[in-house]
Structure formats: structure tokens, C-alpha cells
Amino acid sequence: MTACAIEPTAADEDGETRSDGTQCAITADGAYAARLAPAGDCLFPERWTLDGPEPYAVPLPGNQPEEPGSEVQPMGDGRVLIRRLVDGRHTFSLLYPTGPGTGELALGAIECPDPDTRLRLLPPAPGGEKAYALAVGRRSTAVWLVAGGAFGPEHLAMVPGRCSGGVWLDRAGRMLALDREVGGRTKAIVVDLERDGEVSPLLQIAADSDDRLLAADPDSGLLLIRSDAPSPGREERLGWGVIGSTLPVRFPECLRVPDCTVTPFAIQPGQVLMPENCGVALRIDGPGGSWLGVWRPTDRQLLQLPAPEGWLAGAGLWSEDGVLQLPYATREVPCGVARFAVPRGAGDNGGHGGSGVAGNPGVTGEMGGTGDTRPGDPVRDGTVGAPGEAAPEPSGPPEPDPPVPVAPRPVPLREAPLKGRVAVG
């Protein structure tokens, strides 16, 4: 056994929304998903298979219901990792179907002597063979390998400062981006897990700005960023940049939705050296609930769509050919995937949510799968060219842009395997 307080279910003092365990996690390749499914007043782990002709769910109940603070994560082989808090320790096990029951392989535990330390799972790693956790203390943050190691949970790195977020930058599961708070400022950094946790800067938009990385696509280098650089200390804006580009981060006006929080959750893969063509799916949270946004850097408008009923909000993935897939669960369809084909330029048609998918020009939608449950189964708006190249001139009148200082290029990521891209300027 190796050596944290239970994760809160609301936003913490760092402003990061913590998982309540019922959210849906999807493997990096989109083959499996996992969540804590409700059954009356109880919760139990459930694995979804997404790479077949239709989605289906496999329940993985244990001997007793799970606590709301537990977390689950699918592995690449179809097993489900679960983190539980038991007698002050965070225990980790792999769950798998065994005929009518659920098999469980215990992996070990992590104990944090400081009660202020918080531990949570990081997003599913590329490859699906390993899983990681972040233990955030008062002055430092530890990165743990909790599944896929040789001897149970393994301490990999200690990063000075309080870290949040967690975004994978490469397909090898080596380069992990975290948002680190030091001296009252938050900046995105990169932790090299194959170099004993060596830390390099990633985002330095302005000296006095808070710059967080929300999402990244390893194929194109597209980054989605939240920063207050356009108006330091007053308003955080959603922007985009490209790893290794000398161009400034852009903050499109169309990504500002009044009285709402806009958060990216999926980027279209496979657009090598074409970040401006990547589809970006966004969760929009407002007074009326949560709905869907779709945007590309080439678009001048944010396309807003009503989310499918029962959407597991904030979960979804893109196919390389531009089909957005959103998992949902209702009483009638306990395991379903809604698919939206969003062609390039759909956002410029001015479609906005309210009347359903069919009412939005350029967008088609369909519900995928019958959803049956089966018993078992093993800073400036515009376009950007390739990193280091000049951006092509946008067509039409430009949008007004907030003045954003252009900082010097951050320290390179050295020999990190990022196809020659080093940082965002």
C-alpha cells in the first residue's frame, strides 16, 4: 500500500469543477465509456461499448452501492478502473464482467496524511493501458500512476504549486499539461512523465494573466485556452492557439455567450497540420441548463444546438470525418449515442439552438443504437496555417478584437515528442 480527502462535487477554491462520479469518461480511442449509473437512490459502475454496430451497456455492480465521491474510468481492454475512499485511503480496483457477476482486481491504495490534499483521476490516457491520478496538496501536486504499473500505485512526479486541469498533449501518454498556480497566477505547464516529471512552461500569454489549457489535439496541435489576458483580472475568455506557432492566441468574439460558461470537451482528430479545420464541441452552461455548441477556427459563428435528452453532459467524441457523437441515457434508451454530422462552415450559417437539429442549416443528426443492456463482453479571430506558417487572410469583414499583449515565446519543450512543435506564443 502506498500513501487524501474525498473530492467535492462542486467547484473548489481553484475554480475547477470536480466530478461527482456520475459523469461519463471515454477512452482516448472512443472504444469504451464508463460511468456511475443511477439505480433508484444508489449508484453502480457501468461500462459502455461504443465501437460496435450499436452502443450497449454492461452493468458492473459490486457487493454494495458505490459512494457518490467514487470515480470510474474505462481502460482500453474493456475493464473499468474505480477509485473509492475507504477508511481514509483511496483504493483502486479493476472491474470486469464475469457471467452474472462482477470480477474485481485490487490494485492497491494511496493514503494522503494531509487532510487538505485532494485526489482525483486524470482524463483517460492515450493507449488505454495506464491510468493516472493527481493529488493536489497545499504547496505541491503529485502525479501517480494508479493502473498499468508493475507494483500497484506508483509515485511519478512532484510538481511545486497547486495544479488543476489535466490534458494529454501526445499519443504516447508522455506529455501531460497541467494548470499550475504559483504566486497568485495560474499558468499551463507541461510535465514530462518519462523524465522524472520535468516541468516546462506551455502558456505565457501575458505576465499578469491567468492562462489555463482546457483541451488539445495531438494531430493538429490545436489548443483551447481560457485566459483573462484580454482584460486582466476582470473576465476570462475562451481562445485558441497552436503548439509551436509564433502567432498570438486568438479570442473569438463568437465564443462569448452572455451569462454562460462555455467549455470545450472534444476536438476532431486526424486534421494533421490543419488546426483551423478541427471541429470543436463545447458544453454551454447557463441559467436554463446545458446545451451544445459546435465551432471551428475557420467559422465566424458559434453553432448552438439543443443537447439530446439525457445527454451525459460534457461527454462526447468526434470521428475524423466530422461526426460528433454524444452519449445519452433515458428511461426508454438506457444506452444511446446521438450522432451529428457537422460540415465545415455550418457555424457561418448562423444556426442557433432552440428548435432541434433539423432546424439548423448544414447540420444533420440521428440517434445511434437501440441502447440495449447486454449481460457481458470481454487572439485574434481568424484562421491559422501549419505551425510556424503565416495565417491566410480571412474572408469578409474582421471581427473586433480585444488588445492582447504578445509575450515572448516560452521555454521550448526540449526533446519532447511533439513533432517539432514547442510552445504557444
Side-chain angles (χ1 to χ4, degrees):
M1 189 273 295
T2 53
C4 294
I6 194 169
E7 282 293 304
T9 59
D12 65 10
E13 65 269 22
D14 297 324
E16 182 178 11
T17 301
R18 303 298 188 179
S19 170
D20 62 0
T22 60
Q23 297 178 346
C24 179
I26 304 175
T27 55
D29 63 1
Y32 295 103
R35 67 170 186 144
L36 287 179
D41 295 331
C42 301
L43 297 170
F44 65 90
E46 185 177 74
R47 188 201 71 195
W48 289 26
T49 297
L50 303 177
D51 60 351
E54 62 182 37
Y56 65 91
V58 175
L60 297 170
N63 297 325
Q64 62 186 29
E66 304 295 340
E67 295 294 329
S70 300
E71 288 183 288
V72 293
Q73 186 172 115
M75 304 296 291
D77 60 5
R79 293 183 293 181
V80 171
L81 173 70
I82 185 166
R83 177 191 67 82
R84 302 181 178 106
L85 185 65
V86 180
D87 297 330
R89 300 182 304 162
H90 293 268
T91 66
F92 300 89
S93 297
L94 288 173
L95 308 178
Y96 52 93
T98 55
T102 300
E104 181 166 341
L105 174 64
L107 300 177
I110 297 175
E111 184 175 352
C112 299
D114 188 343
D116 290 333
T117 299
R118 294 173 176 169
L119 187 142
R120 63 178 175 86
L121 294 177
L122 284 166
E129 298 177 355
K130 298 180 179 181
Y132 299 83
L134 206 64
V136 184
R138 299 181 185 183
R139 298 181 181 87
S140 62
T141 300
V143 181
W144 288 84
L145 173 67
V146 297
F151 306 104
E154 177 184 348
H155 182 271
L156 297 181
M158 183 65 74
V159 180
R162 294 178 58 84
C163 295
S164 57
V167 176
W168 296 102
L169 296 179
D170 63 344
R171 296 287 183 195
R174 170 181 173 178
M175 309 304 293
L176 173 66
L178 298 172
D179 302 324
R180 179 174 66 174
E181 180 186 352
V182 175
R185 295 293 176 209
T186 300
K187 301 289 184 181
I189 60 171
V190 177
V191 180
D192 189 337
L193 298 182
E194 291 189 5
R195 290 196 169 198
D196 299 322
E198 182 180 83
V199 174
S200 302
L202 179 66
L203 293 176
Q204 295 184 25
I205 301 176
D208 58 349
S209 63
D210 291 319
D211 310 319
R212 295 178 172 85
L213 180 64
L214 304 184
D217 174 59
D219 295 332
S220 64
L222 178 65
L223 305 179
L224 274 295
I225 297 155
R226 197 183 305 281
S227 173
D228 63 352
S231 54
R234 296 195 300 273
E235 178 191 12
E236 291 190 337
R237 295 279 300 275
L238 188 61
W240 68 283
V242 179
I243 294 178
S245 175
T246 57
L247 297 171
V249 172
R250 296 159 173 80
F251 294 89
E253 188 69 22
C254 67
L255 295 183
R256 302 174 76 180
V257 181
D259 302 319
C260 294
T261 301
V262 182
T263 306
F265 63 88
I267 301 177
Q268 181 182 356
Q271 309 300 299
V272 179
L273 300 182
M274 296 188 296
E276 70 277 7
N277 292 335
C278 290
V280 179
L282 306 115
R283 171 178 172 173
I284 305 175
D285 296 296
S290 300
W291 62 97
L292 177 66
V294 177
W295 171 82
R296 285 182 171 88
T298 54
D299 294 345
R300 293 293 185 178
Q301 298 294 329
L302 169 65
L303 181 63
Q304 299 185 48
L305 303 170
E309 181 184 358
W311 178 38
L312 306 180
L317 65 153
W318 286 90
S319 66
E320 291 191 8
D321 56 359
V323 176
L324 178 60
Q325 305 168 63
L326 304 179
Y328 69 95
T330 64
R331 184 181 299 272
E332 295 76 20
V333 183
C335 173
V337 174
R339 295 181 174 89
F340 300 88
V342 186
R344 289 178 56 184
D348 288 333
N349 292 328
H352 293 274
S355 60
V357 174
N360 293 280
V363 181
T364 60
E366 67 177 47
M367 299 298 181
T370 58
D372 60 317
T373 300
R374 302 187 182 182
D377 178 332
V379 178
R380 268 176 298 222
D381 191 22
T383 59
V384 173
E389 296 179 358
E393 290 296 325
S395 58
E399 291 180 327
D401 302 316
V404 179
V406 180
R409 204 176 210 184
V411 178
L413 297 183
R414 302 182 184 179
E415 292 83 18
L418 294 178
K419 300 180 181 178
R421 298 186 283 266
V422 293
V424 171

